[in-house]
Amino acid sequence: MRLELSSTENCVSFHFLIEEHDEAVVANSKMDNTTFTFAGPVGWSIDECHPDHIALAAILCAYPWARDVLHLPFEVSERFSESFAGLRLKVEPCSAKIKPYVSGDNSKPGLAFSGGVDSTAALSVMPKSTIPIFMNRPQKMLTRTLYDKDAALRACDILDTIGYNVQVLDCDLEYLRSPIGFPTDLANAVPLILTATWFDIDSIAFGTVLESLYSVGRKEFKEYSKTSHYKVWWKPFAGAGIDLNFPVGGVSEVGTELICAKSKIGFIAQSCIRGTWENPCMNCWKCFRKEMIKSGLNLKEYSLPVMKKMLAARDVKKQIKLIPIKHENVLLFSAQRLRDKELPPSIASRLDYKEDLSALMKWYSPSRDFIYPSHLEATERNLIMLLGVMDEKDLAMIEEWSMKEWLESLERIQEDKRTESTN
Ligand SMILES: [Zn+2]
C-alpha cells in the first residue's frame, strides 16, 4: 500500500493507494473508502507533526488491509522503522537524518477520550495535566446509524469548564471501513497522535480495562506482554516516542464504575452511544451491563421490570446467549451480589459459579508495567485511593481465571446430544 497526503491549513487528508498484494476484505471488514480527513486545532498544520507520528497514524488506519510494506511520501526515523522488525508490515523509507521524537521536559500524557465510563475512569486517575482528545466523527448523509455523540460532547464541555485542555477534533477515519468503525482498536487515538508534537504529549492512554487487557472474563487469563496485541503495537508506539499507557488496565469494569462513582469528574461518564445526555437508550448491551454493575454495587436500585424489559431488546437477547458472555466475570460479580433479589432466569442460571469475585472492586497492581513510568506515581496513588489494591488471594483469582473446563464440558454435552440424535 502507498500513502499520499494533501493538506490545507489545519486539515490533512490521507489517501491510501492499494497495490496488488494488499487485501481489500479481511474477515468481516472491508476497506470501503481509501481516503480520510483530519482537522487539527486552529493554527495547527501537518507540518507541525513528526513524520513518525504521521506514519503511525497511517498504519493504525491501514493495518488490516495493507500487506508487506506501507510506502510513505516522506522519511521516518530509524528508531521508528526498526520498531517494526519482526512484524508483518514494514514502513519505508527511513533515514538517519530524521531525529526520533522526544517529548519536552514539561510533557503531558494524552488520553484517547470517548466519554464512556472506562475512559472517564482513566482520566480520573491520570495527572491533572492530561489532555483528553475526543475524535469527533462527522455524520455523513445517507448513513443510517444509531450512533449519538451528544453525551460525549456534553462530557467534553464540562471538562473544558473544569479546566481540562480537552480537545474535540474532527476525523472521519471510521468511514474507511465497512461496516463503519475503527480499523484497529487503537485508531481512535489518531487525532491525539497527529497533535502529539503540538501539545507536547509523551504517552497515549486508552480506557482499556482488565477484561480487555488480560482476557479476564474470557476463556482464560492471558499476561498482556504475551498477547499478539502487545507484540504488534507496543514497540511502534515506543519507537514513535509516544508510549502506550493503560492507566485502568488493571481495573475491572466493576472498578471503573466505582471510580466514576467516587471521583469528581465521574458524573460526566456515559457509555451508551445510542442515547442522549443523561438518557441512555436502555436497549443496548452496554446499558444492560452497566445497569447490572450499578445495581450490584448498590449505586442504583435493582429493578426486575427494568431488567426484564432490557432482556427483551434484540441486542441484549443476542449477547446473553453467547458462551461465554462478553465480560462474563462482570455479570457473575453482579449476579452474586444480587443473589437475594429475583433475577431473570437467564441470569439466575449462571449463579452456580462458586468463586468469590469481590477482587474485581480493587486494582490489579501488576498492570503498573503498562502505565507510562513518568506518570506512574500519580496514577498509582489515585488508583489506591479510589479502589485499594488486590492482595495475594485476589491476584491468584485473576491469574487463575479460566472457563476452559466449563466450556469444554458444554462442548461435551453438545457432542453427546449430537451423537444421540444421529443414533
Ligand atoms: Zn444504550
Side-chain angles (χ1 to χ4, degrees):
M1 199 174 282
R2 278 176 192 280
L3 174 68
E4 278 177 9
L5 294 172
S6 60
S7 65
T8 47
E9 292 173 13
N10 65 328
C11 288
V12 59
S13 293
F14 285 61
H15 311 277
F16 296 102
L17 310 178
I18 295 174
E19 294 178 309
E20 225 171 71
H21 51 271
D22 294 322
E23 279 178 71
V25 184
V26 177
N28 292 323
S29 94
K30 180 172 165 244
M31 191 169 201
D32 211 22
N33 282 300
T34 49
T35 296
F36 79 89
T37 301
F38 165 72
V42 178
W44 176 92
S45 90
I46 193 68
D47 304 327
E48 306 281 342
C49 192
H50 193 282
D52 295 354
H53 297 171
I54 306 174
L56 181 60
I59 288 160
L60 287 171
C61 294
Y63 191 79
W65 309 290
R67 292 291 170 269
D68 305 332
V69 183
L70 181 65
H71 300 278
L72 304 163
F74 50 81
E75 293 170 326
V76 292
S77 75
E78 286 181 330
R79 184 181 76 185
F80 182 67
S81 170
E82 280 158 15
S83 70
F84 286 84
L87 298 183
R88 68 158 169 81
L89 189 65
K90 309 279 181 248
V91 277
E92 281 175 4
C94 90
S95 158
K97 277 185 276 175
I98 306 293
K99 293 217 164 29
Y101 172 78
V102 181
S103 56
D105 292 339
N106 294 313
S107 63
K108 301 157 275 286
L111 168 69
F113 181 70
S114 73
V117 170
D118 302 340
S119 176
T120 305
L123 187 60
S124 304
V125 299
M126 291 174 76
K128 286 280 150 10
S129 59
T130 300
I131 300 188
I133 297 192
F134 176 70
M135 190 177 102
N136 195 25
R137 179 216 289 180
Q139 211 80 280
K140 295 224 168 157
M141 285 180 41
L142 305 170
T143 316
R144 278 179 59 237
T145 170
L146 293 167
Y147 175 72
D148 194 318
K149 56 195 180 186
D150 170 71
L153 293 176
R154 292 286 189 101
C156 291
D157 278 348
I158 297 168
L159 288 175
D160 183 62
T161 326
I162 299 173
Y164 277 94
N165 185 7
V166 58
Q167 300 289 323
V168 176
L169 301 174
D170 291 356
C171 184
D172 60 359
L173 68 85
E174 286 172 271
Y175 294 100
L176 286 171
R177 203 190 91 156
S178 170
I180 296 167
F182 298 120
T184 53
D185 67 325
L186 304 177
N188 59 332
V190 164
L192 181 52
I193 293 166
L194 291 175
T195 52
T197 315
W198 178 258
F199 289 118
D200 193 11
I201 300 279
D202 54 31
S203 52
I204 306 288
F206 294 85
T208 311
V209 289
L210 178 83
E211 284 80 11
S212 305
L213 205 66
Y214 291 97
S215 295
V216 174
R218 298 190 192 149
K219 196 171 179 182
E220 221 171 0
F221 170 88
K222 260 190 222 147
E223 164 53 38
Y224 177 58
S225 61
K226 298 202 171 90
T227 61
S228 56
H229 191 273
Y230 177 91
K231 282 173 193 158
V232 173
W233 296 118
W234 196 264
K235 281 188 187 159
F237 275 79
I242 37 175
D243 293 47
L244 280 171
N245 182 19
F246 296 115
V248 289
V251 180
S252 154
E253 237 194 336
V254 171
T256 53
E257 198 67 64
L258 268 179
I259 291 175
C260 285
K262 289 180 186 173
S263 85
K264 283 197 191 92
I265 56 164
F267 74 95
I268 66 164
Q270 181 170 308
S271 289
C272 178
I273 51 165
R274 294 185 186 173
T276 51
W277 172 246
E278 290 184 332
N279 237 329
C281 78
M282 300 306 274
N283 272 319
C284 74
W285 178 240
K286 262 196 186 150
C287 279
F288 174 77
R289 229 163 56 215
K290 297 294 174 192
E291 186 73 13
M292 278 292 287
I293 301 173
K294 279 190 182 154
S295 311
L297 286 170
N298 250 331
L299 297 171
K300 199 173 181 183
E301 203 176 332
Y302 174 77
S303 155
L304 182 63
V306 169
M307 259 317 134
K308 279 191 173 158
K309 190 174 163 276
M310 291 178 93
L311 279 164
R314 204 173 65 174
D315 186 27
V316 181
K317 253 193 208 160
K318 196 175 97 192
Q319 296 282 347
I320 202 102
K321 274 193 208 134
L322 297 180
I323 296 175
I325 304 176
K326 195 168 175 228
H327 295 196
E328 171 121 10
N329 60 325
V330 167
L331 283 190
L332 286 174
F333 166 88
S334 308
Q336 281 180 346
R337 294 166 65 100
L338 295 166
R339 198 176 279 277
D340 55 342
K341 302 272 196 295
E342 194 188 334
L343 290 169
S346 48
I347 307 276
S349 65
R350 307 183 94 94
L351 262 174
D352 50 356
Y353 192 80
K354 299 285 182 306
E355 190 106 51
D356 172 31
L357 293 169
S358 56
L360 297 179
M361 294 164 75
K362 292 179 257 178
W363 176 47
Y364 176 71
S365 56
S367 73
R368 65 162 66 86
D369 292 351
F370 311 112
I371 300 175
Y372 188 62
S374 302
H375 309 302
L376 176 62
E377 201 188 313
T379 308
E380 189 164 335
R381 200 182 326 116
N382 291 331
L383 284 165
I384 294 172
M385 184 182 73
L386 291 164
L387 292 181
V389 61
M390 292 189 189
D391 62 20
E392 295 275 301
K393 204 176 114 242
D394 300 330
L395 295 179
M397 192 282 281
I398 297 295
E399 285 161 14
E400 285 161 20
W401 173 270
S402 171
M403 304 182 76
K404 236 172 129 184
E405 243 172 70
W406 179 65
L407 291 173
E408 281 166 8
S409 75
L410 286 182
E411 272 166 29
R412 272 198 301 279
I413 293 171
Q414 283 190 335
E415 187 62 31
D416 290 348
K417 272 191 194 154
R418 267 197 296 271
T419 330
E420 258 170 45
S421 62
T422 46
N423 283 345

mmCIF file of all heavy atoms in Angstrom, residues 120-161:
data_model
loop_
_atom_site.group_PDB
_atom_site.id
_atom_site.type_symbol
_atom_site.label_atom_id
_atom_site.label_comp_id
_atom_site.label_asym_id
_atom_site.label_seq_id
_atom_site.Cartn_x
_atom_site.Cartn_y
_atom_site.Cartn_z
ATOM 1 N N THR A 120 -13.512 7.745 31.269
ATOM 2 C CA THR A 120 -13.602 8.759 32.317
ATOM 3 C C THR A 120 -12.866 8.289 33.576
ATOM 4 O O THR A 120 -12.224 9.086 34.259
ATOM 5 C CB THR A 120 -15.083 9.062 32.652
ATOM 6 O OG1 THR A 120 -15.747 9.427 31.442
ATOM 7 C CG2 THR A 120 -15.208 10.193 33.653
ATOM 8 N N ALA A 121 -12.930 6.976 33.858
ATOM 9 C CA ALA A 121 -12.189 6.438 34.999
ATOM 10 C C ALA A 121 -10.689 6.614 34.757
ATOM 11 O O ALA A 121 -9.936 6.986 35.668
ATOM 12 C CB ALA A 121 -12.526 4.971 35.210
ATOM 13 N N ALA A 122 -10.240 6.386 33.522
ATOM 14 C CA ALA A 122 -8.818 6.573 33.195
ATOM 15 C C ALA A 122 -8.419 8.022 33.463
ATOM 16 O O ALA A 122 -7.417 8.288 34.133
ATOM 17 C CB ALA A 122 -8.555 6.194 31.737
ATOM 18 N N LEU A 123 -9.231 8.953 32.979
ATOM 19 C CA LEU A 123 -8.936 10.377 33.183
ATOM 20 C C LEU A 123 -8.922 10.726 34.681
ATOM 21 O O LEU A 123 -8.097 11.518 35.135
ATOM 22 C CB LEU A 123 -9.976 11.238 32.444
ATOM 23 C CG LEU A 123 -9.722 12.739 32.411
ATOM 24 C CD1 LEU A 123 -8.394 13.070 31.738
ATOM 25 C CD2 LEU A 123 -10.856 13.477 31.697
ATOM 26 N N SER A 124 -9.806 10.080 35.444
ATOM 27 C CA SER A 124 -9.891 10.344 36.894
ATOM 28 C C SER A 124 -8.619 9.961 37.639
ATOM 29 O O SER A 124 -8.309 10.559 38.663
ATOM 30 C CB SER A 124 -11.052 9.552 37.515
ATOM 31 O OG SER A 124 -12.264 9.837 36.888
ATOM 32 N N VAL A 125 -7.920 8.933 37.171
ATOM 33 C CA VAL A 125 -6.709 8.504 37.897
ATOM 34 C C VAL A 125 -5.428 9.084 37.288
ATOM 35 O O VAL A 125 -4.350 8.953 37.859
ATOM 36 C CB VAL A 125 -6.599 6.951 37.992
ATOM 37 C CG1 VAL A 125 -7.789 6.382 38.753
ATOM 38 C CG2 VAL A 125 -6.457 6.285 36.625
ATOM 39 N N MET A 126 -5.545 9.724 36.127
ATOM 40 C CA MET A 126 -4.354 10.296 35.483
ATOM 41 C C MET A 126 -4.051 11.685 36.057
ATOM 42 O O MET A 126 -4.915 12.299 36.676
ATOM 43 C CB MET A 126 -4.573 10.387 33.959
ATOM 44 C CG MET A 126 -4.614 9.014 33.286
ATOM 45 S SD MET A 126 -5.044 9.105 31.538
ATOM 46 C CE MET A 126 -3.497 9.694 30.818
ATOM 47 N N PRO A 127 -2.813 12.200 35.824
ATOM 48 C CA PRO A 127 -2.470 13.534 36.338
ATOM 49 C C PRO A 127 -3.410 14.609 35.772
ATOM 50 O O PRO A 127 -3.953 14.435 34.674
ATOM 51 C CB PRO A 127 -1.046 13.751 35.814
ATOM 52 C CG PRO A 127 -0.526 12.409 35.488
ATOM 53 C CD PRO A 127 -1.689 11.563 35.126
ATOM 54 N N LYS A 128 -3.561 15.695 36.511
ATOM 55 C CA LYS A 128 -4.471 16.780 36.111
ATOM 56 C C LYS A 128 -4.055 17.415 34.778
ATOM 57 O O LYS A 128 -4.868 18.032 34.100
ATOM 58 C CB LYS A 128 -4.524 17.847 37.207
ATOM 59 C CG LYS A 128 -5.324 17.421 38.440
ATOM 60 C CD LYS A 128 -6.799 17.563 38.219
ATOM 61 C CE LYS A 128 -7.716 16.631 38.949
ATOM 62 N NZ LYS A 128 -7.300 15.770 39.986
ATOM 63 N N SER A 129 -2.765 17.288 34.429
ATOM 64 C CA SER A 129 -2.281 17.903 33.188
ATOM 65 C C SER A 129 -2.684 17.119 31.936
ATOM 66 O O SER A 129 -2.452 17.560 30.810
ATOM 67 C CB SER A 129 -0.753 18.004 33.244
ATOM 68 O OG SER A 129 -0.201 16.695 33.415
ATOM 69 N N THR A 130 -3.306 15.950 32.113
ATOM 70 C CA THR A 130 -3.683 15.097 30.977
ATOM 71 C C THR A 130 -4.535 15.840 29.945
ATOM 72 O O THR A 130 -5.449 16.580 30.312
ATOM 73 C CB THR A 130 -4.492 13.875 31.491
ATOM 74 O OG1 THR A 130 -3.677 13.158 32.399
ATOM 75 C CG2 THR A 130 -4.912 12.960 30.352
ATOM 76 N N ILE A 131 -4.222 15.619 28.671
ATOM 77 C CA ILE A 131 -5.035 16.212 27.608
ATOM 78 C C ILE A 131 -5.944 15.139 27.016
ATOM 79 O O ILE A 131 -5.478 14.218 26.349
ATOM 80 C CB ILE A 131 -4.139 16.835 26.512
ATOM 81 C CG1 ILE A 131 -3.266 17.915 27.153
ATOM 82 C CG2 ILE A 131 -4.991 17.397 25.368
ATOM 83 C CD1 ILE A 131 -2.481 18.743 26.183
ATOM 84 N N PRO A 132 -7.265 15.223 27.297
ATOM 85 C CA PRO A 132 -8.185 14.263 26.699
ATOM 86 C C PRO A 132 -8.595 14.734 25.299
ATOM 87 O O PRO A 132 -8.955 15.891 25.127
ATOM 88 C CB PRO A 132 -9.403 14.281 27.639
ATOM 89 C CG PRO A 132 -9.209 15.440 28.568
ATOM 90 C CD PRO A 132 -7.942 16.163 28.217
ATOM 91 N N ILE A 133 -8.509 13.853 24.323
ATOM 92 C CA ILE A 133 -8.902 14.235 22.962
ATOM 93 C C ILE A 133 -10.010 13.317 22.472
ATOM 94 O O ILE A 133 -9.858 12.096 22.447
ATOM 95 C CB ILE A 133 -7.685 14.229 22.000
ATOM 96 C CG1 ILE A 133 -6.659 15.280 22.468
ATOM 97 C CG2 ILE A 133 -8.142 14.490 20.563
ATOM 98 C CD1 ILE A 133 -5.556 15.596 21.497
ATOM 99 N N PHE A 134 -11.131 13.923 22.120
ATOM 100 C CA PHE A 134 -12.279 13.164 21.614
ATOM 101 C C PHE A 134 -12.286 13.244 20.087
ATOM 102 O O PHE A 134 -12.206 14.327 19.513
ATOM 103 C CB PHE A 134 -13.581 13.748 22.171
ATOM 104 C CG PHE A 134 -14.823 13.077 21.629
ATOM 105 C CD1 PHE A 134 -15.142 11.774 22.007
ATOM 106 C CD2 PHE A 134 -15.663 13.734 20.732
ATOM 107 C CE1 PHE A 134 -16.279 11.149 21.507
ATOM 108 C CE2 PHE A 134 -16.797 13.110 20.233
ATOM 109 C CZ PHE A 134 -17.109 11.813 20.613
ATOM 110 N N MET A 135 -12.340 12.076 19.454
ATOM 111 C CA MET A 135 -12.409 12.047 17.996
ATOM 112 C C MET A 135 -13.857 12.238 17.580
ATOM 113 O O MET A 135 -14.696 11.395 17.863
ATOM 114 C CB MET A 135 -11.869 10.722 17.472
ATOM 115 C CG MET A 135 -11.702 10.757 15.984
ATOM 116 S SD MET A 135 -10.987 9.231 15.387
ATOM 117 C CE MET A 135 -12.459 8.512 14.791
ATOM 118 N N ASN A 136 -14.123 13.345 16.910
ATOM 119 C CA ASN A 136 -15.493 13.675 16.534
ATOM 120 C C ASN A 136 -15.783 13.152 15.127
ATOM 121 O O ASN A 136 -15.242 13.655 14.154
ATOM 122 C CB ASN A 136 -15.663 15.197 16.597
ATOM 123 C CG ASN A 136 -17.113 15.603 16.574
ATOM 124 O OD1 ASN A 136 -17.993 14.828 16.962
ATOM 125 N ND2 ASN A 136 -17.384 16.812 16.107
ATOM 126 N N ARG A 137 -16.643 12.133 15.064
ATOM 127 C CA ARG A 137 -16.964 11.548 13.763
ATOM 128 C C ARG A 137 -18.082 12.363 13.109
ATOM 129 O O ARG A 137 -19.161 12.496 13.669
ATOM 130 C CB ARG A 137 -17.444 10.105 13.960
ATOM 131 C CG ARG A 137 -17.822 9.423 12.670
ATOM 132 C CD ARG A 137 -19.009 8.487 12.818
ATOM 133 N NE ARG A 137 -18.709 7.289 13.573
ATOM 134 C CZ ARG A 137 -19.620 6.342 13.812
ATOM 135 N NH1 ARG A 137 -20.853 6.443 13.350
ATOM 136 N NH2 ARG A 137 -19.300 5.289 14.514
ATOM 137 N N PRO A 138 -17.804 12.941 11.923
ATOM 138 C CA PRO A 138 -18.872 13.718 11.279
ATOM 139 C C PRO A 138 -19.995 12.790 10.833
ATOM 140 O O PRO A 138 -19.743 11.656 10.435
ATOM 141 C CB PRO A 138 -18.179 14.355 10.076
ATOM 142 C CG PRO A 138 -16.980 13.502 9.825
ATOM 143 C CD PRO A 138 -16.590 12.871 11.115
ATOM 144 N N GLN A 139 -21.226 13.269 10.941
ATOM 145 C CA GLN A 139 -22.367 12.464 10.492
ATOM 146 C C GLN A 139 -22.449 12.618 8.978
ATOM 147 O O GLN A 139 -22.525 13.728 8.474
ATOM 148 C CB GLN A 139 -23.637 13.011 11.162
ATOM 149 C CG GLN A 139 -24.688 11.962 11.410
ATOM 150 C CD GLN A 139 -24.390 11.141 12.666
ATOM 151 O OE1 GLN A 139 -23.589 10.233 12.630
ATOM 152 N NE2 GLN A 139 -25.031 11.478 13.757
ATOM 153 N N LYS A 140 -22.405 11.495 8.250
ATOM 154 C CA LYS A 140 -22.483 11.617 6.792
ATOM 155 C C LYS A 140 -23.921 11.447 6.332
ATOM 156 O O LYS A 140 -24.698 10.725 6.950
ATOM 157 C CB LYS A 140 -21.590 10.571 6.141
ATOM 158 C CG LYS A 140 -20.136 10.824 6.471
ATOM 159 C CD LYS A 140 -19.219 10.687 5.300
ATOM 160 C CE LYS A 140 -17.868 11.251 5.697
ATOM 161 N NZ LYS A 140 -16.764 10.772 4.933
ATOM 162 N N MET A 141 -24.228 12.092 5.224
ATOM 163 C CA MET A 141 -25.570 11.935 4.678
ATOM 164 C C MET A 141 -25.754 10.511 4.189
ATOM 165 O O MET A 141 -24.798 9.820 3.896
ATOM 166 C CB MET A 141 -25.769 12.915 3.531
ATOM 167 C CG MET A 141 -25.947 14.290 4.106
ATOM 168 S SD MET A 141 -26.190 15.593 2.967
ATOM 169 C CE MET A 141 -27.256 15.021 1.724
ATOM 170 N N LEU A 142 -26.992 10.096 4.116
ATOM 171 C CA LEU A 142 -27.356 8.781 3.590
ATOM 172 C C LEU A 142 -26.826 7.622 4.445
ATOM 173 O O LEU A 142 -26.822 6.489 4.023
ATOM 174 C CB LEU A 142 -26.867 8.579 2.141
ATOM 175 C CG LEU A 142 -27.317 9.637 1.141
ATOM 176 C CD1 LEU A 142 -26.563 9.468 -0.178
ATOM 177 C CD2 LEU A 142 -28.815 9.540 0.890
ATOM 178 N N THR A 143 -26.327 7.921 5.638
ATOM 179 C CA THR A 143 -25.878 6.835 6.501
ATOM 180 C C THR A 143 -26.834 6.721 7.674
ATOM 181 O O THR A 143 -26.931 7.633 8.490
ATOM 182 C CB THR A 143 -24.462 7.117 7.041
ATOM 183 O OG1 THR A 143 -23.684 7.590 5.968
ATOM 184 C CG2 THR A 143 -23.820 5.871 7.615
ATOM 185 N N ARG A 144 -27.525 5.639 7.746
ATOM 186 C CA ARG A 144 -28.430 5.427 8.878
ATOM 187 C C ARG A 144 -27.630 4.834 10.021
ATOM 188 O O ARG A 144 -26.920 3.864 9.869
ATOM 189 C CB ARG A 144 -29.550 4.466 8.486
ATOM 190 C CG ARG A 144 -30.674 5.182 7.743
ATOM 191 C CD ARG A 144 -31.762 4.226 7.335
ATOM 192 N NE ARG A 144 -32.355 3.549 8.473
ATOM 193 C CZ ARG A 144 -32.393 2.222 8.600
ATOM 194 N NH1 ARG A 144 -31.840 1.456 7.706
ATOM 195 N NH2 ARG A 144 -32.985 1.674 9.645
ATOM 196 N N THR A 145 -27.693 5.480 11.160
ATOM 197 C CA THR A 145 -26.908 4.994 12.288
ATOM 198 C C THR A 145 -27.615 5.292 13.612
ATOM 199 O O THR A 145 -28.354 6.262 13.724
ATOM 200 C CB THR A 145 -25.487 5.614 12.283
ATOM 201 O OG1 THR A 145 -24.865 5.292 13.513
ATOM 202 C CG2 THR A 145 -25.519 7.117 12.115
ATOM 203 N N LEU A 146 -27.383 4.452 14.582
ATOM 204 C CA LEU A 146 -27.961 4.664 15.911
ATOM 205 C C LEU A 146 -27.021 5.496 16.776
ATOM 206 O O LEU A 146 -27.360 5.935 17.853
ATOM 207 C CB LEU A 146 -28.183 3.300 16.592
ATOM 208 C CG LEU A 146 -29.240 2.399 15.973
ATOM 209 C CD1 LEU A 146 -29.115 0.990 16.532
ATOM 210 C CD2 LEU A 146 -30.635 2.951 16.253
ATOM 211 N N TYR A 147 -25.805 5.701 16.254
ATOM 212 C CA TYR A 147 -24.752 6.391 16.990
ATOM 213 C C TYR A 147 -25.148 7.827 17.336
ATOM 214 O O TYR A 147 -25.571 8.585 16.480
ATOM 215 C CB TYR A 147 -23.484 6.356 16.141
ATOM 216 C CG TYR A 147 -22.308 7.119 16.677
ATOM 217 C CD1 TYR A 147 -21.596 6.655 17.775
ATOM 218 C CD2 TYR A 147 -21.867 8.291 16.069
ATOM 219 C CE1 TYR A 147 -20.499 7.345 18.255
ATOM 220 C CE2 TYR A 147 -20.772 8.988 16.539
ATOM 221 C CZ TYR A 147 -20.088 8.515 17.628
ATOM 222 O OH TYR A 147 -18.998 9.207 18.098
ATOM 223 N N ASP A 148 -25.029 8.195 18.604
ATOM 224 C CA ASP A 148 -25.343 9.554 19.034
ATOM 225 C C ASP A 148 -24.207 10.044 19.927
ATOM 226 O O ASP A 148 -23.916 9.446 20.949
ATOM 227 C CB ASP A 148 -26.662 9.568 19.813
ATOM 228 C CG ASP A 148 -27.206 10.979 19.977
ATOM 229 O OD1 ASP A 148 -26.402 11.883 20.265
ATOM 230 O OD2 ASP A 148 -28.411 11.163 19.809
ATOM 231 N N LYS A 149 -23.568 11.150 19.515
ATOM 232 C CA LYS A 149 -22.403 11.609 20.271
ATOM 233 C C LYS A 149 -22.748 12.729 21.239
ATOM 234 O O LYS A 149 -21.865 13.314 21.848
ATOM 235 C CB LYS A 149 -21.295 12.030 19.310
ATOM 236 C CG LYS A 149 -21.734 13.084 18.330
ATOM 237 C CD LYS A 149 -20.757 13.215 17.175
ATOM 238 C CE LYS A 149 -21.263 14.291 16.228
ATOM 239 N NZ LYS A 149 -20.505 14.419 15.022
ATOM 240 N N ASP A 150 -24.030 13.015 21.404
ATOM 241 C CA ASP A 150 -24.485 14.092 22.283
ATOM 242 C C ASP A 150 -23.856 14.004 23.680
ATOM 243 O O ASP A 150 -23.297 14.974 24.194
ATOM 244 C CB ASP A 150 -26.024 14.049 22.372
ATOM 245 C CG ASP A 150 -26.559 14.966 23.456
ATOM 246 O OD1 ASP A 150 -26.495 16.184 23.250
ATOM 247 O OD2 ASP A 150 -27.007 14.466 24.508
ATOM 248 N N ALA A 151 -23.927 12.818 24.284
ATOM 249 C CA ALA A 151 -23.429 12.655 25.653
ATOM 250 C C ALA A 151 -21.925 12.926 25.738
ATOM 251 O O ALA A 151 -21.456 13.602 26.656
ATOM 252 C CB ALA A 151 -23.748 11.257 26.163
ATOM 253 N N ALA A 152 -21.169 12.417 24.772
ATOM 254 C CA ALA A 152 -19.713 12.597 24.780
ATOM 255 C C ALA A 152 -19.351 14.075 24.632
ATOM 256 O O ALA A 152 -18.439 14.582 25.301
ATOM 257 C CB ALA A 152 -19.072 11.774 23.675
ATOM 258 N N LEU A 153 -20.077 14.785 23.760
ATOM 259 C CA LEU A 153 -19.786 16.203 23.557
ATOM 260 C C LEU A 153 -20.118 17.024 24.811
ATOM 261 O O LEU A 153 -19.391 17.951 25.155
ATOM 262 C CB LEU A 153 -20.542 16.740 22.333
ATOM 263 C CG LEU A 153 -20.069 16.152 20.990
ATOM 264 C CD1 LEU A 153 -20.932 16.649 19.838
ATOM 265 C CD2 LEU A 153 -18.597 16.497 20.725
ATOM 266 N N ARG A 154 -21.187 16.649 25.499
ATOM 267 C CA ARG A 154 -21.523 17.324 26.767
ATOM 268 C C ARG A 154 -20.418 17.076 27.791
ATOM 269 O O ARG A 154 -20.015 17.988 28.514
ATOM 270 C CB ARG A 154 -22.832 16.788 27.341
ATOM 271 C CG ARG A 154 -24.057 17.119 26.553
ATOM 272 C CD ARG A 154 -24.453 18.603 26.724
ATOM 273 N NE ARG A 154 -25.764 18.802 26.117
ATOM 274 C CZ ARG A 154 -26.901 18.865 26.803
ATOM 275 N NH1 ARG A 154 -26.889 18.803 28.113
ATOM 276 N NH2 ARG A 154 -28.045 19.003 26.174
ATOM 277 N N ALA A 155 -19.938 15.836 27.832
ATOM 278 C CA ALA A 155 -18.856 15.498 28.768
ATOM 279 C C ALA A 155 -17.634 16.382 28.491
ATOM 280 O O ALA A 155 -17.008 16.903 29.418
ATOM 281 C CB ALA A 155 -18.495 14.022 28.636
ATOM 282 N N CYS A 156 -17.313 16.573 27.210
ATOM 283 C CA CYS A 156 -16.157 17.409 26.843
ATOM 284 C C CYS A 156 -16.379 18.862 27.275
ATOM 285 O O CYS A 156 -15.465 19.515 27.772
ATOM 286 C CB CYS A 156 -15.900 17.333 25.342
ATOM 287 S SG CYS A 156 -15.307 15.726 24.813
ATOM 288 N N ASP A 157 -17.600 19.365 27.091
ATOM 289 C CA ASP A 157 -17.929 20.740 27.522
ATOM 290 C C ASP A 157 -17.666 20.924 29.012
ATOM 291 O O ASP A 157 -17.101 21.918 29.440
ATOM 292 C CB ASP A 157 -19.422 21.025 27.272
ATOM 293 C CG ASP A 157 -19.685 21.425 25.831
ATOM 294 O OD1 ASP A 157 -18.694 21.694 25.113
ATOM 295 O OD2 ASP A 157 -20.863 21.445 25.422
ATOM 296 N N ILE A 158 -18.103 19.928 29.793
ATOM 297 C CA ILE A 158 -17.935 20.032 31.250
ATOM 298 C C ILE A 158 -16.450 19.996 31.613
ATOM 299 O O ILE A 158 -15.979 20.792 32.419
ATOM 300 C CB ILE A 158 -18.714 18.907 31.972
ATOM 301 C CG1 ILE A 158 -20.213 19.063 31.698
ATOM 302 C CG2 ILE A 158 -18.448 18.946 33.478
ATOM 303 C CD1 ILE A 158 -21.057 17.880 32.105
ATOM 304 N N LEU A 159 -15.699 19.090 30.984
ATOM 305 C CA LEU A 159 -14.252 19.005 31.255
ATOM 306 C C LEU A 159 -13.578 20.346 30.951
ATOM 307 O O LEU A 159 -12.693 20.791 31.677
ATOM 308 C CB LEU A 159 -13.610 17.886 30.433
ATOM 309 C CG LEU A 159 -13.940 16.462 30.861
ATOM 310 C CD1 LEU A 159 -13.328 15.464 29.881
ATOM 311 C CD2 LEU A 159 -13.430 16.167 32.281
ATOM 312 N N ASP A 160 -14.014 20.973 29.877
ATOM 313 C CA ASP A 160 -13.464 22.268 29.473
ATOM 314 C C ASP A 160 -13.734 23.316 30.565
ATOM 315 O O ASP A 160 -12.834 24.058 30.963
ATOM 316 C CB ASP A 160 -14.103 22.700 28.145
ATOM 317 C CG ASP A 160 -13.539 23.998 27.629
ATOM 318 O OD1 ASP A 160 -12.327 24.032 27.360
ATOM 319 O OD2 ASP A 160 -14.308 24.982 27.527
ATOM 320 N N THR A 161 -14.956 23.325 31.096
ATOM 321 C CA THR A 161 -15.332 24.279 32.147
ATOM 322 C C THR A 161 -14.514 24.036 33.418
ATOM 323 O O THR A 161 -14.131 24.969 34.111
ATOM 324 C CB THR A 161 -16.838 24.126 32.516
ATOM 325 O OG1 THR A 161 -17.539 23.769 31.343
ATOM 326 C CG2 THR A 161 -17.406 25.378 33.079
#
